[in-house]
Amino acid sequence: MSRVPGWLGRLGAGLTQMSGRLEQRRREARRDAADDTGVGASGQGPPTPEEAAHEYAATHHAVVVRDRPDPAQAVPWGVRVAAEAGWRLLVLAGTVWVLMRVISAVQLVVLAFVAALLITALLQPAVAWLRRHGVPRGPATALTAILGFVVMGLIGWFVTWQVMENIDNLSDQVQDGIDELRNWLLNSPFHVTDKQINEIAKNLREAVGANTDQITSAGLEGVTVVVEALTGILLAAFSTLFLLYDGKRIWQWTLKLVPAAARPGVAGAGPRAWRTLTAYVRGTVIVALIDAIFIGLGIYFLDVPMAVPLAVFIFLFAFIPLVGAVISGALAVVVALVTQGVFAAVMTLVVVLAVQQIEGHILQPFILGRAVRVHPLAVVLSVAAGGMIAGIGGAVVAVPLVAVTNTVVGYLRAYSREAALRQTPKPHGATAADASPAADPPPKPPPPEVEPQSDASPA
């Protein structure tokens, strides 16, 4: 009895296989008949696609599954590119936002260090000159720093002294100028009446009285500003000393923070960026000095009071390209207007415009050179952005930052092209004779042009 179930199972399997073979032969005979007569299995005409698919599946024991496209392939190419660029831009925007938040939190330290970089770029050629003449590094750094800070301190003291000495005389001249302006308005073709002038003066007095609290709070905030300015000056002086004395080792330590793959390119871009910054600071100082001398002489011969302090202000404001020249020139014109009259103001305006035109078209291209030239639109936008972010300090450092960035980007682009040429495989076989050794090697891209500077630098 134990063998009966096994025998029945084998019998059932054999019958199933035989039934399958018979059914397959029946379908093949039906398909051959349909091919001969041109009608489908239903006898109504050619086989429909559904009948053909069912016949194929039944014959080959396969399951037909309709293919679906990949979802990524179903998205149009332009949308995919826009999405890829979009999320990368979002990451970059988030990174920049976080960086700006960090910089705003330590704005005083950042501005002090940037000011130290600018001062170092101005004083470092003197240290290099002393080193070439045999002076040790420590004494050369100390002598240059002391002389530099003494000169800057004397300039600030001289401006303050001139303003304090002439403030009483200036107030009297301003009052006389206001009276003259009042008389001119009364006799002008604008038909201004004495009542209107008195009404304007009354409104000004009421505005000052209504904003006494704001003026007082601004004065209290001014004390905080003075303390922060002194702190920034000390940080800048301290940083300048170390940059002058140990700038090269500081740069070498900074390179260790860069990934190894990008380190050669950054190491080559650093000295070029430093030479660009040095050329910018040196050229800006020379151009500002020329502006201050010639505009100061012009307003001096026009008998405008405080000609020397105004010349110093013109020198300082020249470090803010375009915007600084407009502000300092307008200040000189206003002082000439309220103290010497309309004719002196017009002549002062002529002097300022003439000197600024000579500066913009002759001095800056000749002194600064092509290495640090920035398009006027980029200058205006960078100064505006720097002023919005960090006030006057941001406006001062915006243009040198753009100039240095331009130099670094240009060098890295040339370096990447040169690296790609070096990694290009040489041809083999019959074409190798055309490429080497008789053929000239591909030319190396020239580095960004900079004016020759001293060979020693923090980079």
Side-chain angles (χ1 to χ4, degrees):
M1 293 297 293
S2 60
R3 296 181 181 180
V4 173
W7 177 78
L8 290 176
R10 286 192 296 272
L11 178 62
L15 292 175
T16 302
Q17 292 178 359
M18 185 180 297
S19 175
R21 286 195 294 269
L22 290 174
E23 183 68 19
Q24 181 178 357
R25 291 177 181 176
R26 191 181 301 111
R27 291 195 186 96
E28 289 176 356
R30 190 185 305 118
R31 186 173 62 251
D32 293 338
D35 292 339
D36 294 338
T37 60
V39 296
S42 59
Q44 302 298 326
T48 61
E50 290 78 5
E51 292 177 348
H54 179 74
E55 190 72 22
Y56 178 84
T59 305
H60 294 81
H61 304 283
V63 178
V64 178
V65 179
R66 182 176 296 175
D67 293 335
R68 294 183 179 180
D70 186 7
Q73 299 296 330
V75 179
W77 175 254
V79 177
R80 294 173 62 187
V81 172
E84 293 284 339
W87 73 260
R88 286 176 171 83
L89 289 176
L90 288 177
V91 172
L92 289 176
T95 304
V96 172
W97 183 81
V98 172
L99 183 61
M100 289 295 101
R101 296 284 294 182
V102 172
I103 291 176
S104 62
V106 291
Q107 179 177 335
L108 180 62
V109 177
V110 173
L111 290 179
F113 183 75
V114 174
L117 283 176
L118 297 176
I119 298 173
T120 304
L122 179 63
L123 300 180
Q124 193 275 329
V127 177
W129 183 83
L130 292 175
R131 292 290 307 276
R132 287 195 300 268
H133 286 76
V135 180
R137 181 173 58 181
T141 301
L143 181 62
T144 302
I146 291 173
L147 289 178
F149 290 131
V150 166
V151 169
M152 286 184 277
L154 287 176
I155 292 174
W157 170 81
F158 180 75
V159 173
T160 305
W161 174 62
Q162 286 290 315
V163 171
M164 297 302 295
E165 284 290 324
N166 295 278
I167 190 67
D168 295 333
N169 186 25
L170 180 63
S171 62
D172 296 336
Q173 290 181 342
V174 168
Q175 185 62 41
D176 295 337
I178 292 175
D179 293 336
E180 292 180 3
L181 181 62
R182 177 193 182 100
N183 296 329
W184 181 80
L185 289 174
L186 290 174
N187 299 323
S188 67
F190 299 107
H191 304 290
V192 180
T193 62
D194 192 30
K195 181 179 179 181
Q196 292 175 336
I197 295 177
N198 292 333
E199 188 69 23
I200 293 174
K202 180 181 177 181
N203 292 334
L204 289 175
R205 287 193 298 269
E206 290 178 355
V208 172
N211 295 291
T212 303
D213 296 337
Q214 287 82 353
I215 295 174
T216 304
S217 62
L220 295 176
E221 291 178 358
V223 177
T224 305
V225 171
V226 170
V227 173
E228 291 182 354
L230 292 176
T231 304
I233 291 172
L234 291 177
L235 286 174
F238 190 75
S239 302
T240 302
L241 287 175
F242 277 96
L243 289 173
L244 287 173
Y245 180 76
D246 216 10
K248 184 171 293 186
R249 279 193 287 184
I250 293 174
W251 170 246
Q252 292 173 353
W253 177 84
T254 305
L255 282 177
K256 296 179 181 178
L257 304 178
V258 180
R263 195 170 300 164
V266 176
R272 288 165 175 80
W274 180 253
R275 285 196 292 269
T276 299
L277 182 62
T278 304
Y280 174 84
V281 175
R282 184 192 64 181
T284 303
V285 168
I286 295 174
V287 171
L289 187 61
I290 294 174
D291 285 353
I293 291 174
F294 283 97
I295 296 178
L297 288 176
I299 61 179
Y300 175 78
F301 287 114
L302 290 172
D303 292 330
V304 178
M306 293 200 309
V308 176
L310 285 175
V312 176
F313 277 115
I314 290 170
F315 173 80
L316 296 177
F317 276 96
F319 284 89
I320 306 176
L322 297 181
V323 180
V326 174
I327 295 175
S328 59
L331 179 62
V333 172
V334 169
V335 172
L337 176 64
V338 299
T339 57
Q340 298 298 322
V342 178
F343 177 77
V346 172
M347 296 305 298
T348 302
L349 179 62
V350 170
V351 171
V352 170
L353 291 178
V355 174
Q356 290 180 357
Q357 289 298 314
I358 294 174
E359 168 206 333
H361 294 87
I362 299 176
L363 295 179
Q364 284 190 354
F366 178 74
I367 296 174
L368 294 179
R370 290 182 297 173
V372 292
R373 288 181 62 184
V374 182
H375 195 276
L377 179 60
V379 171
V380 173
L381 294 179
S382 60
V383 170
M388 294 175 62
I389 294 173
I392 296 178
V396 171
V397 304
V399 177
L401 179 62
V402 171
V404 169
T405 303
N406 184 34
T407 300
V408 171
V409 171
Y411 172 80
L412 292 179
R413 188 185 299 115
Y415 178 84
S416 62
R417 287 198 300 264
E418 185 178 355
L421 289 175
R422 287 197 303 264
Q423 294 176 0
T424 301
K426 295 182 179 181
H428 299 281
T431 59
D434 299 331
S436 64
D440 295 332
K444 294 182 179 180
E449 297 182 7
V450 294
E451 293 189 359
Q453 299 294 323
S454 172
D455 54 351
S457 67

Coordinates of all heavy atoms in Angstrom, one line a residue, residues 18 49 65 121 296:
M18 N 1.3 14.8 -21.0 CA 0.7 14.4 -22.3 C -0.4 15.3 -22.7 O -0.5 15.7 -23.9 CB 0.1 12.9 -22.1 CG -0.4 12.3 -23.4 SD -1.1 10.7 -23.2 CE 0.4 9.8 -22.7
P49 N -4.5 41.9 -31.8 CA -3.3 41.9 -31.0 C -3.4 41.2 -29.7 O -2.5 40.6 -29.2 CB -3.1 43.4 -30.8 CG -3.7 44.1 -32.0 CD -4.9 43.2 -32.3
V65 N 4.5 41.6 -19.5 CA 4.5 42.7 -18.6 C 4.7 44.0 -19.4 O 5.7 44.0 -20.1 CB 5.5 42.6 -17.4 CG1 5.4 43.8 -16.5 CG2 5.2 41.3 -16.7
A121 N 50.2 95.7 3.4 CA 50.6 95.8 2.0 C 51.2 97.2 1.7 O 52.1 97.3 0.8 CB 49.3 95.7 1.2
G296 N 43.6 120.7 -2.7 CA 44.0 121.5 -1.6 C 44.6 122.9 -2.1 O 44.2 123.9 -1.5

